[in-house]
Amino acid sequence: MNSWSLAIKRFPFQRFMLFVLKVVSSLHGDLSYSFAEEMKRDFVIGNIAKDLGIDRGGFSSRQARVDFEGSRKMYCDINISTGDFTTMDRIDRESLCGKKPSCVLKADLVLENPLELHRVSLHIQDINDNSPQFKDHLIEMEISELADRGTRFPIEQAHDADIGQNAVQRYILQKNNHFILSVDNNNVDLVLENKLDREKQKEMNLLITALDGGSPQRSGTVVIHVTVLDANDNAPVFSQAVYKASLPENCPLDTTVIKVSATDADEGVNGDVTYDFGHISDNDDKVFCINPKTGEIKVCGLIDYEEKNYFEMKVQAKDGLGLTSYAKVLIDVIDNNDNSPVIYLKSLSNPIPENVPPGTEVGIINVQDKDSENNRQVRCSIQQGVPFKLVPSIKNYYSLVTTGQLDRELVSDYNITITATDEGSPPLSSSKSVQLSVADINDNPPVFEEQSYSAYVSENNKPGSTLCSVSARDPDWRQNGTVVYSLLAGEVNGAPVSSYLSVNGDTGVIHAVRSFDYEQFRKFKVHVMARDNGSPPLSSNVTVSVFISDVNDNSPQILYPSPEGNSFMTELVPKAAHGGSLVSKVIAVDADSGQNAWLSYQIVKSTDPGLFTIGVHSGEIRTQRDISESDSMKQNLVVAVKDNGQPSLSATCSMYLLISDNLDLSYNESNSKLTSYLIIALVSVSTFFLTFIIIILGLRFCRRRKPRLLFDGAVAIPSGYLPPNYADVDGTGTLRSTYNYDTYLTTGSRTSDFKFLVKLVLVLLMKCFKNNFSTFIATGFKWCSLTTFNTRHIYLMEK
Ligand SMILES: *[C@@H]1O[C@H](CO)[C@@H](O)[C@H](O)[C@H]1NC(C)=O
Ligand SMILES: *[C@@H]1O[C@H](CO)[C@@H](O)[C@H](O)[C@H]1NC(C)=O
Ligand SMILES: *[C@@H]1O[C@H](CO)[C@@H](O)[C@H](O)[C@H]1NC(C)=O
Ligand SMILES: *[C@@H]1O[C@H](CO)[C@@H](O)[C@H](O)[C@H]1NC(C)=O
Ligand SMILES: CC(=O)N[C@H]1CO[C@H](CO)[C@@H](O)[C@@H]1O
């Protein structure tokens, strides 16, 4: 009863009922027992003795035993003493029968004494003692991300040793995004419902649970590890659609401009991005390089803002299998002040006439700078100290204009340095030299080097001799400055100047055309003109004064006594004359002047050398001692008159002296006759001339105040008294101050002015009539000399 209660305890009620039914059915004939597998040892299946209706004592005596057919293994045994049929070991249905739906163990119950044989069937019932089981716990599976929807991936089924309801009944797939499970007959498939994307999820674990129908239910799981295989389904993607960079020009090679980068979601070769330029012009290609691996864009060539200030390029990113994408790279080049301004001379009036008014435009200058912005702002200037300036004109044009009057004669060439400086930092500058010459205008007349010229020439010069030279300068250019000299027309003493002088037109040398005679005129003036060859010509003139200097070319001329030396000229000397008495006088003149006319008198020969002397300069002959009885009545003197010239010239005359007792003026009949004629003539003429002279003197004195006449006494002696060649050339000329010009003239006595006047009148007469009336003159003088002379000097001084 214990075993029943045990059985009741171990098995659910239904089983128990089934068990009971089986036992009951075996009551008739063979014994049949049914019990669950996995009962533990000594589980009492039933009491055979009881079922066979044999008492317990009888049972043991009959040697009851159990034989299992064909098997050496004893699954069950009989307690002889009790008749209980018990399990000898645990019975596993699955190992005995596998998947067979019914599992029956057959045994023979043998009783001896009498031998009795009973068949015993042991029905072993399945219990859910096995879980569904997959072959592996983890299934690795690789699926391309390109796999289409609906693709099936078979999974090996789970195995459950149990049978029937206890075997695998269904499968459950853990919830996921991509797969569902399809169980169809004996196939379990994973079906791809949503496409895979490696880039989103590159692997996943799917848990499949297999469930049996037992109670309690048992399950088994498997994990399917799905690795999503990459397909090159992603193009590289740039981090920016447009890359912008700026770059100073002239930057060194290998400067990194910018780095582009693209990523590719793919893996391995599919994700290996290489960079290159997309479409790019050949020129830009030389300027930039791209590192295919890193995407760094570097400078490989010369960046010149002036050539190109903006680059636009495409860069390409390509993965291993050739998917590409593009981005733009914009590079701004920043200007550097690397270009100096350039100065162009657009036009230049060269040469410029010197008479252009200030403000005249002479040139146009254009300045260019290839840089930009401030770097191309250019300021222009020219150096100080030139009469030019730059006037900004439109845009970057400048006019070069004059600021003042130009004068070729001062500055004929200008080097104008134009400097252009831009406003970059540091600023660059350049300069250009413009050479400008000033063209001549005939704006300067010739100018003589001296205000006036004087030429000194000795008289009796040779015709053609050089007197002097004039020279004028004209600073103008070429013919405008070429000076030609000429004489201005004029007259000298009534003759044209050209008959006196000539001037060499080229050299300005003045030649005498003829020989001059000091005694004729002492000086004259001519005007020389210097004229240039310009058109119209300019000229100026200068005065050339020619001074003729005296040469001792005139011998003294003895007026008294007459050089002929006839007896008429005999002087009477009273015997009573004391020593020192004036006896006579030698009168001589010299047409020269100055020293050349300074006369000295000398007695070179005399009858009685001790008796007479002569005043060296006065020419007065005086007795040296009282005349004595012994002296000869007739005395002859030879007087030499010398001038002071170098060499000196001289003349001689003889004087006859007669010493007489009474000095009566007894004349020959003819003499007295002549004397009376003379007296009549003198009286009448002198009256007339006195008036005339007074009138002339008055006129001259008033009009010119020259010559000044110095006189003492009542009588004026005009220069007209002198021989004609003593006269001034024009009566007004000037003499050199050193040229002391005086005339020594010995005249009559202090007391007989009238007589002197008469003598003068005689000379005047002679001059007037130009009559060589020598006898007349001689007689006149003779008459005059009869009176006693006192020495009187008349100085005729002219300034
Ligand atoms: C101008 O420059 C040239 C050469 O550059 C030189 O020969 C000439 O003498 C200069 N002239 C002046 C006026 O400076
Ligand atoms: C001389 O001056 C004139 C104007 O007065 C000018 O036309 C001419 O060209 C000048 N001659 C020379 C050689 O410079
Ligand atoms: C000579 O020059 C002066 C001034 O220098 C001038 O007054 C005069 O008219 C000129 N004479 C001639 C003939 O040119
Ligand atoms: C008068 O003159 C003549 C000759 O001229 C002369 O021979 C004569 O002696 C003179 N008589 C007197 C008195 O001098
Ligand atoms: C051999 C054997 O197991 N005998 C047993 C039979 O039953 C009695 C009573 O329960 C036992 O005492 C024996 O040992």
Side-chain angles (χ1 to χ4, degrees):
M1 288 323 283
N2 266 348
S3 22
W4 279 110
S5 59
L6 266 171
I8 289 165
K9 272 185 195 161
R10 288 184 66 176
F11 295 104
F13 181 71
Q14 291 94 331
R15 283 285 172 102
F16 180 71
M17 286 307 292
L18 179 74
F19 168 72
V20 170
L21 281 173
K22 293 268 168 122
V23 172
V24 169
S25 66
S26 67
L27 286 177
H28 309 286
D30 292 344
L31 288 174
S32 178
Y33 293 97
S34 178
F35 62 94
E37 59 174 332
E38 304 288 338
M39 287 302 162
K40 70 173 188 185
R41 185 184 154 92
D42 291 334
F43 169 67
V44 179
I45 301 165
N47 196 303
I48 292 181
K50 210 180 195 176
D51 293 338
L52 289 178
I54 302 169
D55 62 13
R56 268 193 255 171
F59 215 68
S60 59
S61 56
R62 293 187 64 186
Q63 299 281 320
R65 62 176 195 267
V66 178
D67 288 330
F68 284 89
E69 11 177 280
S71 167
R72 305 191 72 98
K73 170 130 178 165
M74 286 294 289
Y75 295 99
C76 300
D77 204 1
I78 295 170
N79 187 330
I80 296 181
S81 51
T82 62
D84 285 344
F85 194 44
T86 60
T87 55
M88 293 280 286
D89 203 351
R90 244 173 30 138
I91 298 169
D92 183 23
R93 191 203 70 84
E94 283 78 23
S95 57
L96 278 178
C97 307
K99 279 289 183 184
K100 281 192 261 181
S102 72
C103 184
V104 180
L105 277 177
K106 294 222 168 46
D108 294 324
L109 176 67
V110 182
L111 292 174
E112 290 179 20
N113 276 331
L115 183 64
E116 225 175 292
L117 186 68
H118 294 277
R119 285 191 73 90
V120 179
S121 297
L122 291 175
H123 293 268
I124 298 167
Q125 302 296 323
D126 184 41
I127 64 165
N128 194 18
D129 60 343
N130 287 290
S131 301
Q133 201 173 5
F134 290 94
K135 190 176 156 214
D136 299 304
H137 289 295
L138 181 68
I139 299 174
E140 292 287 352
M141 197 178 259
E142 293 185 336
I143 302 174
S144 163
E145 59 179 326
L146 288 183
D148 291 326
R149 284 183 60 191
T151 309
R152 286 169 175 270
F153 301 94
I155 306 289
E156 198 184 1
Q157 292 181 352
H159 174 78
D160 192 331
D162 294 328
I163 53 167
Q165 278 297 314
N166 291 336
V168 174
Q169 296 300 313
R170 58 196 180 101
Y171 293 90
I172 298 171
L173 175 62
Q174 192 186 29
K175 194 164 191 293
N176 72 88
N177 292 327
H178 296 280
F179 293 96
I180 54 169
L181 201 62
S182 152
V183 182
D184 175 29
N185 292 333
N186 293 317
N187 300 324
V188 179
D189 290 332
L190 274 176
V191 180
L192 184 63
E193 198 180 41
N194 290 318
K195 284 199 75 167
L196 293 171
D197 186 353
R198 193 200 66 80
E199 288 70 37
K200 273 188 196 151
Q201 194 176 11
K202 62 180 179 183
E203 59 182 8
M204 59 193 80
N205 286 323
L206 302 172
L207 181 70
I208 297 178
T209 310
L211 293 171
D212 61 21
S215 173
Q217 195 171 40
R218 284 173 172 263
S219 64
T221 58
V222 67
V223 173
I224 299 174
H225 180 250
V226 177
T227 304
V228 183
L229 292 182
D230 185 46
N232 190 23
D233 55 347
N234 284 287
V237 177
F238 276 102
S239 59
Q240 286 168 249
V242 177
Y243 293 89
K244 286 185 179 167
S246 59
L247 188 65
E249 63 173 325
N250 303 333
C251 62
L253 296 185
D254 273 352
T255 306
T256 301
V257 182
I258 196 168
K259 184 172 174 182
V260 297
S261 89
T263 50
D264 192 309
D266 294 330
E267 245 189 350
V269 178
N270 294 340
D272 264 353
V273 180
T274 54
Y275 301 93
D276 196 0
F277 285 119
H279 175 74
I280 185 169
S281 74
D282 287 352
N283 291 339
D284 298 355
D285 193 29
K286 289 176 190 140
V287 174
F288 296 105
C289 321
I290 188 164
N291 184 324
K293 288 264 181 290
T294 63
E296 239 177 339
I297 297 179
K298 288 188 170 181
V299 176
C300 285
L302 181 68
I303 309 271
D304 187 359
Y305 177 90
E306 287 69 39
E307 209 154 276
K308 195 160 180 186
N309 59 12
Y310 177 78
F311 292 92
E312 179 171 338
M313 298 177 286
K314 284 220 156 156
V315 281
Q316 179 198 61
K318 186 164 110 177
D319 64 20
L321 290 180
L323 286 183
T324 55
S325 64
Y326 294 90
K328 244 190 222 175
V329 175
L330 309 180
I331 300 172
D332 274 321
V333 180
I334 300 167
D335 186 40
N336 256 355
N337 193 19
D338 60 341
N339 286 286
S340 307
V342 186
I343 302 170
Y344 296 99
L345 188 60
K346 288 294 185 188
S347 80
L348 183 68
S349 330
N350 191 18
I352 36 170
E354 55 181 325
N355 63 347
V356 294
T360 305
E361 180 182 89
V362 298
I364 293 175
I365 282 142
N366 178 235
V367 186
Q368 290 175 12
D369 192 311
K370 283 201 258 174
D371 293 322
S372 67
E373 314 229 325
N374 272 355
N375 293 342
R376 70 176 304 150
Q377 295 296 315
V378 179
R379 276 171 298 124
C380 252
S381 62
I382 59 177
Q383 85 269 36
Q384 300 288 309
V386 290
F388 297 95
K389 65 175 178 184
L390 282 179
V391 177
S393 178
I394 42 168
K395 253 172 101 189
N396 40 8
Y397 282 84
Y398 293 84
S399 301
L400 183 63
V401 299
T402 59
T403 56
Q405 198 67 55
L406 303 178
D407 188 354
R408 192 202 66 84
E409 286 73 38
L410 283 180
V411 187
S412 63
D413 288 288
Y414 289 97
N415 273 0
I416 302 170
T417 307
I418 300 166
T419 310
T421 310
D422 64 25
E423 288 180 359
S425 137
L428 294 178
S429 66
S430 64
S431 60
K432 189 182 187 78
S433 203
V434 176
Q435 309 206 349
L436 207 57
S437 19
V438 182
D440 188 44
I441 292 293
N442 192 18
D443 56 351
N444 287 287
V447 174
F448 281 98
E449 281 171 359
E450 287 168 34
Q451 291 201 325
S452 65
Y453 289 84
S454 303
Y456 299 99
V457 59
S458 299
E459 58 179 331
N460 304 331
N461 55 309
K462 283 188 193 149
S465 61
T466 301
L467 295 188
C468 68
S469 70
V470 295
S471 134
R473 297 197 180 278
D474 188 328
D476 287 327
W477 183 245
R478 297 259 163 89
Q479 65 255 39
N480 291 343
T482 307
V483 180
V484 178
Y485 303 93
S486 60
L487 278 178
L488 280 183
E491 284 195 347
V492 173
N493 267 10
V497 284
S498 57
S499 63
Y500 290 91
L501 295 178
S502 73
V503 63
N504 183 317
D506 296 330
T507 62
V509 175
I510 296 175
H511 299 278
V513 170
R514 65 173 171 188
S515 182
F516 302 126
D517 186 359
Y518 176 85
E519 287 70 34
Q520 220 176 348
F521 48 80
R522 296 170 195 175
K523 63 173 202 166
F524 58 91
K525 286 182 181 175
V526 293
H527 294 278
V528 175
M529 180 174 74
R531 200 193 62 176
D532 60 27
N533 267 342
S535 157
L538 296 175
S539 66
S540 58
N541 63 51
V542 75
T543 306
V544 178
S545 307
V546 180
F547 296 102
I548 300 155
S549 57
D550 189 37
V551 166
N552 194 17
D553 59 342
N554 288 287
S555 310
Q557 197 182 350
I558 298 172
L559 301 179
Y560 178 84
S562 147
E564 282 88 48
N566 52 28
S567 56
F568 172 70
M569 288 306 191
T570 302
E571 294 284 346
L572 296 177
V573 182
K575 218 176 202 159
H578 297 293
S581 310
L582 179 66
V583 175
S584 182
K585 182 176 168 73
V586 177
I587 298 173
V589 290
D590 194 308
D592 296 322
S593 69
Q595 294 288 328
N596 294 339
W598 192 22
L599 301 182
S600 57
Y601 302 87
Q602 203 180 356
I603 296 172
V604 293
K605 197 175 161 194
S606 65
T607 314
D608 185 349
L611 190 51
F612 298 103
T613 66
I614 189 162
V616 177
H617 294 301
S618 64
E620 289 174 346
I621 298 171
R622 293 174 185 271
T623 53
Q624 218 167 352
R625 55 174 171 82
D626 296 343
I627 294 171
S628 65
E629 286 298 329
S630 58
D631 289 327
S632 166
M633 283 273 285
K634 281 192 172 177
Q635 297 279 343
N636 285 344
L637 299 175
V638 177
V639 175
V641 182
K642 271 202 312 192
D643 61 24
N644 206 20
Q646 282 294 336
S648 67
L649 296 174
S650 63
T652 55
C653 65
S654 300
M655 183 163 278
Y656 304 102
L657 299 168
L658 186 67
I659 299 173
S660 71
D661 277 341
N662 39 358
L663 189 61
D664 58 333
L665 282 172
S666 57
Y667 289 92
N668 269 336
E669 230 178 317
S670 59
N671 275 352
S672 15
K673 244 165 99 185
L674 185 64
T675 303
S676 43
Y677 287 139
L678 269 172
I679 289 171
I680 294 161
L682 275 173
V683 169
S684 54
V685 171
S686 63
T687 318
F688 170 74
F689 269 98
L690 193 61
T691 337
F692 177 75
I693 283 163
I694 288 168
I695 290 167
I696 294 288
L697 283 176
L699 281 174
R700 281 191 166 193
F701 199 76
C702 294
R703 224 171 45 204
R704 310 195 189 171
R705 298 188 176 270
K706 282 181 182 180
R708 252 179 47 218
L709 296 171
L710 289 183
F711 54 91
D712 69 12
V715 181
I717 308 299
S719 59
Y721 165 71
L722 295 168
N725 50 3
Y726 271 82
D728 234 0
V729 175
D730 56 4
T732 61
T734 56
L735 283 175
R736 281 195 289 165
S737 54
T738 54
Y739 208 84
N740 231 334
Y741 173 64
D742 36 12
T743 301
Y744 298 85
L745 184 65
T746 311
T747 62
S749 85
R750 178 202 305 253
T751 51
S752 44
D753 284 342
F754 179 71
K755 283 179 193 164
F756 182 79
L757 188 63
V758 170
K759 195 172 158 187
L760 178 71
V761 169
L762 274 172
V763 177
L764 284 173
L765 272 172
M766 191 179 75
K767 186 183 177 185
C768 288
F769 297 105
K770 303 246 167 162
N771 195 347
N772 194 12
F773 215 141
S774 62
T775 316
F776 181 84
I777 296 165
T779 312
F781 274 98
K782 166 93 178 177
W783 177 75
C784 290
S785 70
L786 291 178
T787 56
T788 305
F789 287 95
N790 275 330
T791 306
R792 162 173 293 188
H793 295 281
I794 297 169
Y795 299 96
L796 176 68
M797 296 191 63
E798 298 193 23
K799 198 187 159 195

